[in-house]
Amino acid sequence: MEKIGLLIEIKDGEVKPANLGVLTAARGADHDLHVFLLDGDVKRHRAVLENFGAHKIVDIRCEEGALTDNPACRAAAVVEAMEHFDIHTLAGLASARGKDLLARIAAGLGAPLVLDCIRFDLAAHTAEKSQYSGKTIARIQLRGSHAIYGLRPKAVEAQPAPGRAEVVSLTATCPASGLEFIQIRQQTGDAIDLTEADVIISGGRGMKDAQNFKILFECAATMGAAVGASRVAVEAGWVPYSMQVGQTGATVSPKVYLACGISGSVQHFAGMKTARTIIAVNQDPDAAITRTCDYFAVADLFDIIPRLTRRLRQVQKLER
Amino acid sequence: MNIYVCIKHVPDSAARIKIVEPNRIDESVTFIINPYDENAVEEAVQLKKQIDGSEVIAVALGPCAAENTLRSALAMGADRAILISTDSRPDSLVTAQALKAAIEGDGGASIIFTGKESIDSEGFQTMYRLAVALSIPVASSVVAFSLEQGFARVECEMEAGATAVMKMALPCVIGAGKALNQPGYPTLPAIMNARKKKIEHLDLADLDIKKFSGSMEVVELKPAVEVRQAKEIKGPPDTVAEEIIRILREEARVL
Ligand SMILES: Cc1cc2nc3c(=O)[nH]c(=O)nc-3n(C[C@H](O)[C@H](O)[C@H](O)COP(=O)(O)OP(=O)(O)OC[C@H]3O[C@@H](n4cnc5c(N)ncnc54)[C@H](O)[C@@H]3O)c2cc1C
């Protein structure tokens, strides 16, 4: 049996759904999946973790108190758990928090790490990830005693594999790290996380001003979608940087990406080319995006999006 | 303060990437300073202005051609530079050790800035390894930075517009995010002046660096193929909206 450690992220008291894709990807005939919960509520999360194939739930707490927020403490606790259970392979989600934590763990262990991979092979110690702004896919060989992987959110679809898991606990020591956590600051309301959203509606220069983004937010609200933007819209100050999709913004893999008034530059594409379905609304039949999407309409977004919102509202009402 | 900035020489994101060997790209394209490293240089230069007697030193590990990229950092306000040259393609474990050796050999850092990721290998990890090598704290994706009574106060980008506010003892490593600042374009006199600034040359092979059992190697590169067949949705606005709903429901199954 090969022991595989899995880092689980909790958000608003629940296991983040994208974690279940990591659990799915990490399964293997002779894999013993150890799920690490840091200061988690085992009772609450046990059912979902068992439903997705966990064999052991490692309940990690810290002598010094809360493990919840200090990333250096959390990383040290995971390193301690890996040593304690003799685990050499670790996989987690390459979300903002996951990337930070996995990099701290890999650095602490001197272990190879591939972040934001779209696929991994835990037996062969290889992972595939995008490089050069998404223009190439690299296959990376990890060598050494340990291997750590951060899977791009939504790269692998979660499939249940119900079973039973044993709960084991570990009390970790948190050595002083010179890093002190102060607080989380929420900048923009309770926005839906771009990297977690199934549907993203993005606006670019074609939105013309900040006010007009309202029509995207209204449309998004009808189906729980997130709203994204091109760099032009961010640099014009219409929307905050946290909404930027692209090479120097967020990398997203939603099921549907609806691009409104976005030309489809290589840098924008670098952030959303792994979307399952790309739909573009653009006035210009020659815009690059009309060749690199799945569906496009040569139309004024101000004619299309409000109508789409109205129809979606009707449809949702009928179905309720 | 001795303010170090780690710089990577990377292919321009607008360049056409051609794969020439199973795991190598054609390097005859335009190379630039990694965009996030510009934010790192900018923050270092701003910090220098606040603290008398500070110096900004740009450090890069890369081929000889990376000298041009270091000149960009010098034009942005770095005082001098160190190039650790190599024709090999070191992974982030080796890179961090080389940066550590160069920085320590140069006198040691009061603070180190890097970009939060490089746009070529998209590794997101060298700054963490550098911090561990130097036994100092690190924070990355930093969007706000200030020095307060001997501490670095940072805000790091988290998901969905949230930031984590943290305090670190000095020295520390800061991985700069895009929203940290707006790097200005260097002026012509600054570009001219940068030609006169000193670049010290080291050779990776001459550095005494720790060897790890672990490593990473790109064994194969493939073009990311676009398999999309763009189809036009025709008709008046109502028809287009209706068709988008059909796609959302029947093909993507998100409704
Ligand atoms: C180093 C570097 C990094 C970068 N990183 C990013 C990044 O992370 N993300 C990013 O997005 N960009 C990035 N860029 C910028 C990128 O090159 C483009 O400039 C940018 O993506 C263009 O944004 P856009 O599509 O909104 O604007 P434009 O290219 O100006 O396109 C606007 C489109 O809107 C259409 N339009 C206008 N009005 C309407 C209407 N009423 N209805 C329908 N369509 C309409 C037009 O036909 C046009 O196609 C980067 C650039 C560099 C050099």
Side-chain angles (χ1 to χ4, degrees), chain A residues 203-208 229-233 244-250 260-268 281-284 287 299-302, chain B residues 12-13 32 35 119:
Chain A
R205 192 192 303 276
M207 298 307 297
K208 297 189 176 66
S230 75
R231 188 168 90 170
V232 166
Q244 182 177 320
V245 171
Q247 183 205 298
T248 48
C260 306
I262 289 179
S263 62
S265 65
V266 281
Q267 291 93 353
H268 190 76
V281 178
N282 198 306
Q283 273 174 332
D284 177 4
D300 186 338
L301 73 96
F302 296 101
Chain B
D12 188 341
S13 55
I32 55 168
I119 63 164

Side-chain angles (χ1 to χ4, degrees), chain A residues 52-81:
Chain A
F52 284 85
H55 298 115
K56 297 213 174 50
I57 299 174
V58 185
D59 182 17
I60 308 177
R61 315 217 159 247
C62 171
E63 275 173 352
E64 283 73 18
L67 257 179
T68 341
D69 291 313
N70 186 317
C73 270
R74 290 166 69 84
V78 174
V79 169
E80 199 174 328

